[in-house]
Amino acid sequence: MTWMTRAGRFVALGGALALALPAASAATEPGVGPHGAARSGQTVLEARYDLGDLAFEAPSAIGYVGRSEVSGTVYYPADLTGERRPIVFVQHGSWATCADKEAGAAFKAAQEARDRAEEQGDEEEAARQQEIMERAGALLWAWPCAQGTERVPSDKGYDYLGRALAARGFVVVSMGTNGINATAGGQADTVYRARAALIEHHALLWQRLARTGGGPLGGALVSARTGERVGAAFRSALDLGRVGLMGHSMGGGGVMQEVSDTQRTSWPDGIRIKAAFALAPTSTWDNEPVTRTPFAVMWGTCDAVNSGEYYEWNSPDNQAPVFKYTLEGGNHAYYNRQWSPSTGQVMSRNDALPGSRPGSCLTQHAGSQPPTDQEQLSEAQQRRVTSNRVTAFFEYFLQGRKDRRPYLTGEKPFPGEPDVTTTLYDAGA
């Protein structure tokens, strides 16, 4: 069944402006979505694990060269008793890996100087500034980071989503992929398979923890608030038959690789991925079909990075429901708080092209030529529309909340949102 209105294959308009989520890692969350989840309001805790900067190596059959960390930030309900909880794995995209402030400042200054030189036709100066950028970039995209330099914690940039989902009864694991980011150059044909393999690696660790209360995570998982070990609390508390995936940018490509029709046959025994949500996903190397797993993609009209047209590629043949959300005035970085300018993190920025007037951005999607001005969404607005749909999506597909469906398809608007979101929906065969 296909829905149809304004934009072709369905539907509707919605958008994002409501109350921001509290930042405390162990606080009682209010009903953060306008759909008023009955389970929101649970106390949310945060934990972390780190098994080493070079603990992961992709299977040799993939052909990917490079090691990555096995670490993650975890958001979960304080009360894990009762029914087993679904689990959502989150994978961030490609960004700077090391928070070297001096290198970050040098990189940005050289980038601005290079752009000026190019505008003036000074090729020699442009080349000199490019060399400065490359030297600074080697420090910013190193792995492991130089001694005394902290990593950029991109895995923590989706904390607003982690807390919103945990308040609704999910366990959320946001994994680090800095090592893959640092080694991905020249490996476009294998990097998404390596990212998919990293997802499975984390899933197996959590499966063992849930079954036995032990394994590598048993002694490594510690409370962000107290520093105490909390691994034992997850024994018999998780349902690895109800797994969701969420990825951003290249992480979105990794997620879509993992749920591709061919990759499904390699899922570990006892682990079943029920749905995937990709934020501004980049495209996998060969665009393998994704027709059997429900998925949603979201992108912004002022996002110059997104290139994964997964809805268009798969909706003619999908056997499962698929969704596409287009945010008028949305950009690429704002989905991740660590990448956004309000945090002051090294290399954070507003990556939309500025429009002709303050507060506007230039459209970047292929269907808008020449580019036009649009009002840019604020960080809070873009995260609100994201939180609304991500939480409703996983509630529907992992918790069976049928009342979420009309919000996802656009039949019902999310209350309090401005008119900035277009929804495409196809129910599948």
Side-chain angles (χ1 to χ4, degrees):
M1 179 174 64
T2 305
W3 294 87
M4 197 97 163
T5 58
R6 177 183 96 145
R9 276 220 239 214
F10 190 45
V11 123
L13 302 165
L17 182 58
L19 298 177
L21 291 174
S25 62
T28 299
E29 298 279 1
V32 291
H35 41 277
R39 302 188 65 172
S40 65
Q42 297 187 52
T43 298
V44 174
L45 300 180
E46 179 181 341
R48 181 155 183 87
Y49 60 96
D50 190 343
L51 302 181
D53 288 343
L54 303 174
F56 172 77
E57 185 175 20
S60 59
I62 292 176
Y64 187 85
V65 179
R67 290 180 174 269
S68 191
E69 73 269 40
V70 177
S71 65
T73 301
V74 186
Y75 307 94
Y76 62 101
D79 183 3
L80 290 172
T81 60
E83 65 176 349
R84 294 186 299 157
R85 309 301 181 116
I87 185 168
V88 177
F89 292 99
V90 178
Q91 188 175 90
H92 68 79
S94 182
W95 203 257
T97 55
C98 300
D100 187 320
K101 294 182 180 180
E102 291 185 4
F107 185 94
K108 289 185 176 181
Q111 187 176 44
E112 293 173 359
R114 181 204 61 184
D115 292 347
R116 287 195 301 270
E118 288 178 346
E119 290 175 0
Q120 297 167 1
D122 190 339
E123 295 182 1
E124 182 176 350
E125 177 62 14
R128 190 178 76 84
Q129 295 298 334
Q130 181 65 37
E131 290 179 0
I132 296 173
M133 288 176 59
E134 291 174 0
R135 289 196 297 271
L139 298 173
L140 292 165
W141 275 269
W143 194 256
C145 297
Q147 187 174 1
T149 300
E150 295 183 358
R151 68 182 70 181
V152 175
S154 292
D155 60 304
K156 295 184 178 182
Y158 313 101
D159 55 351
Y160 65 104
L161 292 173
R163 293 189 180 105
L165 287 166
R168 288 165 165 79
F170 296 88
V171 172
V172 181
V173 178
S174 184
M175 66 189 70
T177 62
N178 280 328
I180 289 180
N181 289 347
T183 58
Q187 301 193 82
D189 56 338
T190 57
V191 64
Y192 293 105
R193 289 185 170 84
R195 282 178 166 272
L198 181 61
I199 292 170
E200 292 186 6
H201 185 84
H202 281 266
L204 285 168
L205 291 173
W206 279 89
Q207 183 185 57
R208 183 174 177 185
L209 181 67
R211 287 176 174 174
T212 68
L217 294 184
L221 193 63
V222 298
S223 166
R225 181 170 57 88
T226 67
E228 297 177 355
R229 294 180 181 180
V230 296
F234 293 92
R235 184 174 185 176
S236 301
L238 303 177
D239 184 355
L240 273 297
R242 287 188 294 156
V243 173
L245 302 182
M246 195 204 81
H248 176 201
S249 192
M250 288 189 70
V255 160
M256 298 306 286
Q257 178 74 62
E258 180 63 7
V259 298
S260 65
D261 293 355
T262 55
Q263 188 75 18
R264 288 172 58 96
T265 60
S266 73
W267 291 352
D269 290 343
I271 295 173
R272 288 295 172 264
I273 301 167
K274 296 296 187 181
F277 202 116
L279 303 174
T282 54
S283 57
T284 52
W285 178 250
D286 49 7
N287 301 334
E288 293 183 17
V290 184
T291 66
R292 298 172 59 192
T293 302
F295 71 80
V297 293
M298 177 180 288
W299 73 293
T301 56
C302 292
D303 183 343
V305 178
N306 169 77
S307 62
E309 297 179 352
Y310 291 97
Y311 182 91
E312 288 76 9
W313 294 330
N314 293 287
S315 58
D317 301 309
N318 59 305
Q319 301 174 44
V322 295
F323 307 80
K324 180 178 180 179
Y325 302 112
T326 299
L327 310 187
E328 185 175 324
N331 75 350
H332 197 76
Y334 283 3
Y335 296 113
N336 188 306
R337 289 204 314 114
Q338 292 292 324
W339 302 1
S340 302
S342 64
T343 64
Q345 179 61 262
V346 173
M347 297 302 288
S348 61
R349 63 184 184 273
N350 174 359
D351 60 348
L353 292 178
S356 62
R357 61 187 186 279
S360 68
C361 55
L362 287 178
T363 55
Q364 295 295 292
H365 58 99
S368 178
Q369 294 297 330
T372 59
D373 275 2
Q374 292 191 338
E375 293 298 320
Q376 184 174 356
L377 295 177
S378 69
E379 292 183 32
Q381 287 175 320
Q382 186 162 330
R383 290 177 201 137
R384 168 48 56 186
V385 73
T386 304
S387 181
N388 284 342
R389 283 152 185 80
V390 168
T391 55
F393 180 81
F394 286 121
E395 284 177 305
Y396 180 63
F397 286 106
L398 271 64
Q399 291 181 332
R401 297 294 302 268
K402 301 302 183 184
D403 57 320
R404 302 302 184 251
R405 181 183 178 280
Y407 293 102
L408 294 172
T409 62
E411 295 168 80
K412 287 186 179 181
F414 287 90
E417 289 190 350
D419 185 10
V420 297
T421 306
T422 300
T423 299
L424 296 177
Y425 166 67
D426 191 290

